Amino acid sequence: MSMNEKPTNDWDPRSDDITRDQAAAYDDMRHRCPVAHSDYLNLSLFRHDDVMRVLNDPETFSSAVSSYLSVPNGMDPPEHTQYRSIIEPYFSPQRMAVFEPVCREIALRLANGLSRGGKVEFNAGFAQDFAMQIQCAFLGWPQDLHEPLLHWIRKNREATLTGDRNALDRVALEFDTYIKGLLAQRREAGADAPDDITASLLRDRIGDRLLQDDEIVSILRNWTVGELGTIAACVGILAHYLAEHPDVQQRLREQPSLLPKAIDEILRIRAPLIANRRISTKPVEIGGREVPAGQRITLIWASANRDETVFGDPDEFRLDRDPASNLLYGSGIHDCPGAPLARLELRIGMEELLARTTWIALVPGSLPTKAVYPAAGFSALPLCVE
């Protein structure tokens, strides 16, 4: 095939066969066609080695793929480096230590509020509220923003799934309006503004100037989209896995100190984030396939983190794996700056869930509904909680 010829499709990411069981389908693609083209996801990479090669070569594989300003996810060095230096201090050990008791109080209250002795819709009854309340508390956002944000996340997911550009533009504008309203409130309050992260970003500088509103909105959009949907998916995946694997659940109830490693391992097995994007800056070869400059590339985390050449049996639960191989939070210069916050939230959420319950079980005869790309985890998750 010539470089200018349109490639043929190797798979259809939206077909029923794929969406019925995404993890199994990605496993199959990793073996059958590890570098695969589709109109929907362009060139998809399924193997751990190929994904790592892209992550470790930002000059050849650019992150500037979005038509919207994306700080810092959609940037390359040196611009990316400047913005990362502003963002990383918000996830410092000191900030995490200050936020931990706030996080624990929210997790404790929600765990105590779960209905006992019958079927619980766990996503609606715990996971989504946990993600929303935790993130708004971290950012200093008011409670009356919870419901609009939940609606916004749903609309953003639907627009992303359909690829409707007009809908995506409307959803982006809606979010910008929320955040710019918060920024205006803090400016008007002056010295009386709450001492929160949102107000702090108004004082941050890039070079010799203050961050612009569009940059702050982009940072907060990334944190919100990245945290709310993904943390809710993570909590649902973790609870379901423990219900499905009572031996692991019992072990973690008896040894909660194992939770940090166990959480990362469960989320390696069952991905909360399916994919990420790059674009090639020059012609290159990947997995025996010629890739032209300007080729959009999708990194399938959900496959790379189950690659047998790195992890052996991908479904085997092990706590002795090399954490550097786990791509749960990415790798390279674009590894997730919010990983310390996510790990804190998930650890505390699971600690309180296990401490405030005696057992979590599957509901006989009631199957969960798996989420469909770009979402992960479950769209409905019935569980029994004692």
Side-chain angles (χ1 to χ4, degrees):
M1 183 184 75
S2 71
M3 292 296 245
N4 295 321
E5 185 181 340
K6 179 179 170 59
T8 57
N9 285 334
D10 300 303
W11 70 310
D12 179 2
R14 292 181 287 186
S15 70
D16 290 342
D17 288 343
I18 301 294
T19 58
R20 188 179 300 112
D21 189 340
Q22 290 179 147
Y26 300 154
D27 287 347
D28 175 63
M29 290 298 297
R30 186 172 62 251
H31 303 138
R32 181 169 59 83
C33 188
V35 181
H37 182 270
S38 67
D39 290 336
Y40 184 53
L41 294 182
N42 300 289
L43 198 66
S44 296
L45 306 184
F46 293 89
R47 290 188 298 214
H48 193 279
D49 283 353
D50 292 335
V51 170
M52 285 296 293
R53 177 186 168 191
V54 170
L55 295 177
N56 290 322
D57 188 1
E59 290 186 7
T60 303
F61 304 100
S62 169
S63 294
V65 295
S66 177
S67 58
Y68 303 103
L69 177 66
S70 181
V71 181
N73 308 39
M75 295 175 167
D76 299 317
E79 188 180 34
H80 169 265
T81 309
Q82 290 180 293
Y83 285 96
R84 278 285 294 230
S85 69
I86 293 172
I87 288 168
E88 286 178 350
Y90 286 102
F91 304 100
S92 68
Q94 294 80 8
R95 279 189 178 269
M96 296 303 97
V98 170
F99 186 59
E100 181 165 349
V102 178
C103 184
R104 190 170 297 280
E105 193 278 330
I106 293 170
L108 185 154
R109 184 176 67 249
L110 289 172
N112 280 338
L114 276 168
S115 298
R116 302 298 199 272
K119 183 170 75 171
V120 173
E121 209 316 290
F122 188 80
N123 278 355
F126 185 88
Q128 291 174 358
D129 284 341
F130 177 75
M132 176 64 69
Q133 292 184 33
I134 290 287
Q135 188 64 4
C136 285
F138 181 70
L139 296 173
W141 291 357
Q143 188 170 344
D144 60 13
L145 203 57
H146 291 186
E147 196 60 32
L149 277 172
L150 282 174
H151 286 305
W152 180 84
I153 289 167
R154 287 191 205 102
K155 285 187 281 189
N156 184 63
R157 185 175 296 148
E158 289 166 3
T160 303
L161 183 61
T162 60
D164 185 332
R165 176 57 56 186
N166 290 331
L168 283 166
D169 289 343
R170 288 195 301 272
V171 169
L173 178 61
E174 184 178 337
F175 184 88
D176 291 3
T177 302
Y178 290 148
I179 306 309
K180 287 182 178 178
L182 294 176
L183 299 180
Q185 290 170 12
R186 281 152 179 74
R187 285 197 177 98
E188 290 168 8
D192 295 326
D195 184 21
D196 59 25
I197 286 176
T198 306
S200 178
L201 285 166
L202 287 168
R203 301 188 292 270
D204 279 331
R205 308 183 75 88
I206 185 81
D208 59 357
R209 65 168 177 81
L210 291 169
L211 286 176
Q212 298 171 357
D213 279 8
D214 285 347
E215 293 168 322
I216 297 174
V217 168
S218 176
I219 291 168
L220 293 173
R221 186 193 299 118
N222 280 334
W223 289 354
T224 305
V225 176
E227 286 294 309
L228 292 178
T230 307
I231 291 297
C234 285
V235 173
I237 290 168
L238 292 167
H240 179 263
Y241 189 91
L242 296 185
E244 200 173 45
H245 297 81
D247 56 329
V248 177
Q249 180 178 167
Q250 186 60 39
R251 185 180 178 189
L252 295 179
R253 287 183 179 278
E254 295 170 354
Q255 298 177 273
S257 63
L258 298 178
L259 273 168
K261 287 184 177 179
I263 289 168
D264 280 9
E265 173 68 349
I266 293 168
L267 297 177
R268 178 199 64 78
I269 296 170
R270 298 183 177 175
L273 187 65
I274 300 298
N276 195 235
R277 298 181 296 164
R278 295 291 191 273
I279 187 168
S280 59
T281 61
K282 59 186 178 183
V284 67
E285 179 269 332
I286 305 177
R289 190 160 189 161
E290 296 297 322
V291 178
Q295 172 66 61
R296 291 184 174 271
I297 298 169
T298 303
L299 310 178
I300 308 291
W301 306 118
S303 171
N305 248 1
R306 293 174 53 82
D307 192 326
E308 295 84 352
T309 64
V310 177
F311 302 104
D313 179 356
D315 289 307
E316 183 183 5
F317 174 83
R318 286 175 45 189
L319 299 182
D320 61 348
R321 298 188 188 278
D322 179 1
S325 298
N326 192 334
L327 299 177
L328 175 61
Y329 295 103
S331 186
I333 65 168
H334 283 281
D335 65 341
C336 178
L341 176 63
R343 285 192 163 108
L344 173 75
E345 293 171 346
L346 295 174
R347 173 178 63 80
I348 290 178
M350 296 311 294
E351 282 177 357
E352 293 301 325
L353 185 63
L354 292 176
R356 309 295 159 183
T357 61
T358 58
W359 202 246
I360 301 167
L362 301 175
V363 177
S366 187
L367 296 175
T369 304
K370 292 181 179 179
V372 176
Y373 183 90
F378 303 96
S379 57
L381 180 55
L383 292 174
C384 290
V385 178
E386 299 291 346

